[in-house]
């Protein structure tokens, strides 16, 4: 195996390239294969078969296909280490293979007509029965005679899995994460430290969670005290006060534990932005109120922003939550709901998101709202726009669309108005465009007016003041078709499990800033 990987090692400088350096891993469940869609200096698909503990590999410029008529050029390339099997992330530009990689397909395979696939490759003909999520059936690789030794031909046999006209580019999503190359490039989840041994090389770029002992320390405090969390000393008070009705009721201590646990995930949506707090110091059943002015008693490490446009009597200084401990402070201050501005403090009149607020009326059923959300999904996909939806924790659904700098709120408001107006034409019986709630006849409002300075939507993962402390939760587009989806499906008691298992669907928005296409 060391010999098989020698070429691979020669071609890479392991002090610079975040790819696996190779160690011996064997798999008892049989041989695996992977196809990685790799945007390097040119786009290609890497087809790799696990043979004798390495990945025997071909680069296929036009990609593998189920089309039995297709004959694809496949360049036989050096074997790759088995750790590369499910690598999805980025390789620095300027290096061998620099670009972005997704796991386009993976599964198991077995060689046909031989039980020595390594010899079959050496002899220039490999027949492989593959069981992937996209690829199924018999692939055949044949070395092209009279060419230089690396050029092979790849075809799919005319078997029961063959599909004429099938094109890989029409199936662009990762089978591991559902993401496209573009989305992985914008916000890679993985990095390989190739200056470390392969077993330690895989570095997660996801937010680092709160250490478990921090929650134990909070549980160990009395009614109040000082909590050492995320490197800050946060004064916490009234810890046993019930803030949400629930079964059992939810105390402030539990809210603070949630705020600290979710803070690393929420922070990218808060940092650098003025933060409006919806405060419920007497709990979710009492009347809440907006609190925008940064209080004088706030610790000096809590970020601050002075609004140069403040008129007399308006809020002058806002809180900016630039570190996770700030969210704990805000929750202790009675900030049950977190509402970051759509713009950043450095450019308060330039939105970073266009917001689509699907606001149900009294007569709007959940199915109606899902219909409107799915229509927006279709429209956004048709336009090629990166966006994600979230349930609000109350009754609604919101869609966030990241935009590049330079737009005004007038721009984003007009764009959302046009988009939602087009969607509304498809479902006119579900939507009212009347301004006054009473004149809407109980119908839903597609509210584009939230695209304005200092108008805010609730942050992802913010609690809502209702029974059980429901949470506003980002979802994948396909979850709009999940029969179990509800606007208040997750609470502060259940959403952390979901994050552990499925990650944060909004992360693709962080690096996804885009120009808004014309809507005709
Ligand atoms: Mn490649």
């Amino acid at each position: 195996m060391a010999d098989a990987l020698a070429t691979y090692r020669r071609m890479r400088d392991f002090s610079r390239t975040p790819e696996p350096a190779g160690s011996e891993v064997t798999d008892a469940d049989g041989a695996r294969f992977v196809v990685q869609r790799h945007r390097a200096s040119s786009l290609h698909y890497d087809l790799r078969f696990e043979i004798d503990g390495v990945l025997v590999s071909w680069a296929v410029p036009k990609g593998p296909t189920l089309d039995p008529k297709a004959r694809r050029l496949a360049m036989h390339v050096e074997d790759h280490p088995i750790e590369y099997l499910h690598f999805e992330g980025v390789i620095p530009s300027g290096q061998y293979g620099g670009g972005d990689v997704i796991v386009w397909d993976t599964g198991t395979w077995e060689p046909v007509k031989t039980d020595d696939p390594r010899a079959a490759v050496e002899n220039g003909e490999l027949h492989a029965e593959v069981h992937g999520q996209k690829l199924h059936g018999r692939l055949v690789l044949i070395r092209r005679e009279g060419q230089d030794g690396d050029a092979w031909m790849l075809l799919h046999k005319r078997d029961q899995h063959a599909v004429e006209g099938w094109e890989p580019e029409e199936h662009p999503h990762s089978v591991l994460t559902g993401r496209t190359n573009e989305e992985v490039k914008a916000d890679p989840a993985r990095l390989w430290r190739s200056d470390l041994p392969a077993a330690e090389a895989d570095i997660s770029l996801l937010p680092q969670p709160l250490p478990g002992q921090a929650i134990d320390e909070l549980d160990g405090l009395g009614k109040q005290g000082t909590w050492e969390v995320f490197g800050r000393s946060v004064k916490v008070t009234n810890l046993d006060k019930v803030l949400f009705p629930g079964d059992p009721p939810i105390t402030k201590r539990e809210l603070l534990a949630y705020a600290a646990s979710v803070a690393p995930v929420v922070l990218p949506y808060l940092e650098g932005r003025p933060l409006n707090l919806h405060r419920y110091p007497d709990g979710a059943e009492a009347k809440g109120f907006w609190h925008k002015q940064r209080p004088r008693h706030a610790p000096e490490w809590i970020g601050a922003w002075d609004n140069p446009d403040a008129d007399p009597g308006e809020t002058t200084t806002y809180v900016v939550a630039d570190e996770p401990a700030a969210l704990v402070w805000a929750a202790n201050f009675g900030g049950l709901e977190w509402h970051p501005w759509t713009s950043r403090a450095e450019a308060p009149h330039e939105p970073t998101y266009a917001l689509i607020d699907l606001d149900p009326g009294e007569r709007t059923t959940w199915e109606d709202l899902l219909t409107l959300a799915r229509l927006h999904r279709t429209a956004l996909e048709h336009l090629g726009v990166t966006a994600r939806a979230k349930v609000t924790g109350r009754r609604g659904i919101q869609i966030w669309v990241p935009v590049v700098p330079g737009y005004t709120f007038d721009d984003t408001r007009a764009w959302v108005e046009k988009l939602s107006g087009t969607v509304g034409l498809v479902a006119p019986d579900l939507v009212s465009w009347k301004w006054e709630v009473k004149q809407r006849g109980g119908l839903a409002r597609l509210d584009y007016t939230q695209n304005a300075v200092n108008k805010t939507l609730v942050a992802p993962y913010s609690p809502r003041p209702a029974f059980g402390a429901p949470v506003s939760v980002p979802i994948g587009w396909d979850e709009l078709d999940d029969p179990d989806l509800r606007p208040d499906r997750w609470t502060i008691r259940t959403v952390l499990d979901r994050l552990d298992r499925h990650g944060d669907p909004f992360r693709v928005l962080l690096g996804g800033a885009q120009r808004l296409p014309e809507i005709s």
Side-chain angles (χ1 to χ4, degrees), residues 38 44 46 48:
H38 182 187
H44 59 275
D46 290 301
R48 311 185 192 280

Side-chain angles (χ1 to χ4, degrees), residues 229-245:
V229 64
F230 295 117
R232 297 291 187 186
S233 302
V234 183
K235 275 195 186 133
V236 292
T237 53
N238 293 319
L239 290 173
D240 297 321
K241 184 172 182 170
V242 170
L243 286 188
F244 299 85

Side-chain angles (χ1 to χ4, degrees), residues 276-298:
N276 298 348
L277 294 174
H278 213 177
R279 286 185 65 208
Y280 293 79
D282 293 318
E285 289 182 299
K287 197 165 162 48
F289 54 92
W290 287 104
H291 194 120
K292 300 183 182 178
Q293 183 73 32
R294 182 182 185 279
R296 288 222 176 82
H297 60 71

Side-chain angles (χ1 to χ4, degrees), residues 141-455:
L141 282 150
I142 303 169
R143 185 155 56 215
R144 284 161 57 159
E145 297 303 329
Q147 307 263 342
D148 92 55
D150 292 336
W152 293 51
M153 182 181 71
L154 171 67
L155 60 87
H156 192 289
K157 282 277 198 188
R158 190 175 288 281
D159 57 21
Q160 75 269 28
H161 299 290
V163 180
E164 283 198 14
W166 196 94
E167 274 302 323
E169 286 293 289
E170 291 169 11
H171 307 267
H173 294 99
S174 163
V175 295
L176 291 189
T177 62
R179 304 171 82 194
T180 62
N181 280 77
E182 196 64 51
E183 290 168 342
V184 166
K185 181 188 180 186
D187 182 33
R190 288 176 66 185
L191 179 73
W192 279 86
R193 282 280 304 275
S194 27
D195 54 333
L196 298 175
E200 301 164 26
D202 188 359
I203 305 290
S204 170
L205 298 176
L206 299 175
Q208 291 306 300
L210 178 73
Q213 73 186 56
I215 301 293
D216 294 342
E217 286 166 18
L218 177 67
D219 287 342
L221 293 175
K223 285 194 168 97
Q224 57 185 30
T226 299
W227 189 18
E228 304 293 333
V229 64
F230 295 117
R232 297 291 187 186
S233 302
V234 183
K235 275 195 186 133
V236 292
T237 53
N238 293 319
L239 290 173
D240 297 321
K241 184 172 182 170
V242 170
L243 286 188
F244 299 85
D247 185 20
I250 293 158
T251 63
K252 191 172 178 189
R253 192 188 307 269
E254 191 171 355
L255 173 69
L256 296 190
Y258 170 72
S261 300
V262 84
V265 179
V266 180
L267 204 67
Y269 311 110
L270 304 183
E271 63 186 355
R273 298 166 189 276
L275 179 65
N276 298 348
L277 294 174
H278 213 177
R279 286 185 65 208
Y280 293 79
D282 293 318
E285 289 182 299
K287 197 165 162 48
F289 54 92
W290 287 104
H291 194 120
K292 300 183 182 178
Q293 183 73 32
R294 182 182 185 279
R296 288 222 176 82
H297 60 71
E300 51 82 24
W301 53 266
I302 296 285
W305 174 67
D306 293 321
N307 183 4
D309 298 333
D311 288 326
E314 287 187 342
T315 302
T316 51
T317 304
Y318 287 78
V319 166
V320 180
D322 275 334
E323 54 179 287
L327 202 58
V328 177
W329 170 84
N332 184 69
F333 185 48
L336 258 56
E337 274 189 6
W338 315 322
H339 289 248
W341 283 28
T342 309
S343 52
R344 302 181 136 270
E346 67 203 16
H349 296 286
E350 287 187 14
T352 62
Y353 296 97
L355 302 174
I356 305 166
D357 186 12
L358 310 182
D359 188 8
E362 290 150 38
R363 284 170 46 212
T364 307
T365 66
W366 175 236
E367 268 310 314
D368 293 339
L369 201 70
L370 286 173
T371 298
L372 293 169
R374 290 176 191 132
L375 288 169
H376 278 88
R377 171 180 68 185
T378 302
L380 291 162
E381 282 175 355
H382 175 75
L383 291 166
V385 169
T386 297
R388 287 293 182 275
K390 67 183 177 69
V391 294
T392 62
R394 303 304 295 265
R395 294 185 62 216
I397 294 177
Q398 301 163 348
I399 299 167
W400 289 36
V401 183
V403 300
V404 294
Y407 285 106
T408 65
F409 281 103
D410 288 344
D411 295 332
T412 54
R413 189 168 58 248
W415 188 84
V416 171
E417 182 179 8
K418 204 162 187 183
L419 179 81
S420 290
T422 306
V423 167
L425 291 176
V426 184
D429 48 330
L430 298 183
V431 176
S432 167
W433 297 100
K434 291 286 195 302
W435 182 262
E436 291 285 332
V437 176
K438 281 182 185 160
Q439 292 178 15
R440 286 181 209 154
L443 297 178
R445 177 170 165 76
L446 307 179
D447 189 358
Y448 52 85
T449 66
Q450 296 299 317
N451 294 285
V453 69
N454 204 347
K455 285 213 175 183

Side-chain angles (χ1 to χ4, degrees), residues 12 36-40 42 44-46 48 58-59 77 80 84 91 96-97 101:
R12 284 163 177 75
Q36 282 147 322
R37 187 174 185 275
H38 182 187
R39 296 194 305 176
S42 61
H44 59 275
Y45 291 70
D46 290 301
R48 311 185 192 280
W58 286 263
V77 296
H80 273 52
Y84 202 81
I91 304 168
Y96 179 86
V101 176

